[in-house]
Amino acid sequence: MARYTIDEGSTTHRRLRWGLGSLAAAFLVVLPLMIPSVAQIETITQIVCYSVAILGLGLLTGHCGQISLGHSAFVGVGAYTTIILVADHGWPYLATIPVSIVLCLVAGALVGIPALRIRGLYLATVTLAVAALFPVLINQFPSFTGGPNGKFAAEEMTAPDWFFVNPYTPTGPPTDHYYAILVVAALMFLIAGNIVRSRVGRAMHAVRDAPLSAAAAGVRVAPVKIFAFAVSAAFAGVAGSLLVIQVPAVSDARFDLYLSIFLLVALIAGGSASIWGAIPGAIVFVVLRTYIADWAESLDLLSGRPDGGQIVGIMSGALLIAFVFLLPGGVIDGLARLRRRVVEIVPRPPRDWERYRNATPSRTAQPAVRES
Amino acid sequence: MTNDLLSLDNVTVRFGGVAALDKVSFTVRGGQVAALIGPNGAGKTTAFNAISRLVRPAEGRIHFDGKDLLRLDAAALSGLGIARTFQNLALWPGMTVLENVMVGGHARGRVGFVTSLLGRPARREDGELRARAYAMLDWFGVSDVAHRECKGLPFGTLKRVELARALISDPTLLLLDEPAGGLAHGDVRELGELLLRLRDERDMTLLLVEHHMQFVMGISDYVVALDFGRNLVAGTPAELRDSPELVEAYLGTPA
């Protein structure tokens, strides 16, 4: 039993949410100023970038029940869009994000079309083909993409002069990038939350749980699935652009099938039912990809072996199995359970529901007025 | 023809080589409680699925309120004023009971893909729907589970939730597949009263598939009996009560 109970929507609840929200925001703002190391700031920035990609995958897989192994390609489309526009056409970094969004919306909608007919393992296979195809495509057009040599922008994104971070310290530029990325990511979380809580989000949940029932209740399943794919891909594309804002260099090898698999593992580890699962998911992702990979390469056992990094794949597989059995709701669900031990938020009946009491079937004395 | 709300005209549905429905025709008039009866496998649920566009008839026509239903898809029916329940429940286990009912009001919602990105329109729209859904659950006596997930709730509770989900769209025609199935004796009587009230007070037309004969005969204005996917007899309960065809279909021919 919980130690405290709080009514949902009560003043206490609102104050608590505002308080914790501001605290978290303040923490995220102060965070880079407290750490002196460039590498650590970059790790945190990576976590923020990848959380947007995992958030997008969560909208599709966690909220709409469609699996995708093609998200590495969407992250790649976003990254290449930004680097090409910046390096070859002199665009400002942030201005490239809307272009990434539009391109990924289209690409996502196209990839979503097969999902109208197939699901589960078969859908995974089709989207896997997208992931496999992307690096090939990149290498087909080296004049645009730099091919296997990758592509670089000569100048990093710089903060405007009025910005409070001093750019002439070693941690200045990465801190600037962190803030820009953080603001965009926060906006993406806001949008994801809005979608999930709206009529469209409910339709996505209904499609996830029972598509036929959803159709019978008036939900147009096909557009909902396409929307989920398109929006999810757009989130991944934004993540790709953000990665380029952090480090203005792109190569095809970063957007291979492994990235897709890691994103999926991170999503499940973080928890796919809530949008906030993307944050622990991104932490798991970056820890696996950087720390564990570095550690594996430093092992004597594997040193000199070109496939030393494969141990990360094995470990993430083991991690996935462990989560499915031990904590199927992911880290975020575990945290929610812990929280419920301390404080229970009691849901309240919707405001003014009693006004509609008379509109329910048989309390009406006379035939009800049709509202439509 | 003036008052015909729903009409099936020579509807045939085939599953592989088997005709689940074979040239079935019947008409439901506005303001009626109509019932589809027949032994197991007679095609009652298939007829429901054809009306709600979940199976495609090979032949025949289905009209609702002057509109050709076969030219529409399943998702369009809710907006036209047709709602239905399912024999084995069409609910969403991972959503709360309240959200389940709110999905029933989907067709009336206005928030689209673009406006869903903004918070405000959805909040404004959902406020009323959420309150109406809760009031509906309260009326069915199940508002205490409004914030629980459907997963694991008792069948009787879920039946009420599903009825609330169907009614929240304020339908003109309500299709009920075995509404009395699995209900206790007292609940069946209560359900009958509810259905008659929907007809009388909300001007609703009801079509039900039901095995509970006493219940059907007690509340229906018009009964259509099917057997082996074909029309058997149709008429008022009084006309059908002693119909030899019906007795034969249920009990077999006397030896």
Side-chain angles (χ1 to χ4, degrees), chain B residues 11 19-25 37-38 41-43 224-233:
Chain B
V11 173
L21 285 185
D22 188 4
K23 295 195 195 310
V24 165
S25 305
I37 62 167
V224 177
L226 302 178
D227 192 21
F228 294 114
R230 297 199 186 91
N231 280 90
L232 188 66
V233 279

Side-chain angles (χ1 to χ4, degrees), chain A residues 8 59 105 187 190-228 231 235 273 346-372, chain B residues 52 54 73-79 82-84 86 89-95 98-99 102-114 116-120 122-123 125-132 134-140 143 147 165 167 169-172 194 197-198 200-204:
Chain A
E8 187 184 14
L59 287 177
L105 279 174
L187 204 63
L190 186 72
I191 291 171
N194 286 343
I195 294 173
V196 167
R197 279 192 300 268
S198 73
R199 166 176 178 266
V200 174
R202 264 197 316 277
M204 283 162 62
H205 295 155
V207 168
R208 173 195 66 195
D209 283 2
L212 264 185
S213 306
V219 175
R220 293 185 182 280
V221 175
V224 169
K225 280 186 182 175
I226 296 286
F227 171 80
V231 165
F235 274 67
V346 185
R348 302 303 305 165
R351 209 147 40 104
D352 297 340
W353 72 272
E354 276 144 328
R355 264 206 297 163
Y356 297 94
R357 232 180 191 159
N358 293 331
T360 47
S362 74
R363 297 262 166 103
T364 32
Q366 58 269 21
V369 184
R370 228 164 254 289
E371 287 158 55
S372 60
Chain B
S52 44
L54 297 176
D73 59 11
L77 301 189
S78 172
I82 302 178
R84 79 167 276 190
F86 290 75
L89 305 175
L91 294 168
W92 301 279
M95 304 170 75
L98 190 63
E99 285 168 342
M102 289 171 77
V103 174
H106 183 85
R108 286 168 145 237
R110 289 284 159 267
V111 167
F113 293 130
V114 176
S116 75
L117 308 179
L118 317 164
R120 190 177 282 274
R123 271 199 296 278
E125 175 176 282
D126 280 1
E128 191 206 322
L129 179 59
R130 184 170 284 117
R132 285 206 305 130
Y134 191 88
M136 188 78 85
L137 287 169
D138 178 70
W139 186 80
F140 278 105
S143 62
H147 299 286
R165 194 262 297 136
L167 286 174
S169 65
D170 204 6
T172 326
L194 161 70
R197 274 169 162 162
L198 291 177
D200 297 337
E201 294 168 8
R202 300 219 98 186
D203 224 3
M204 228 174 255

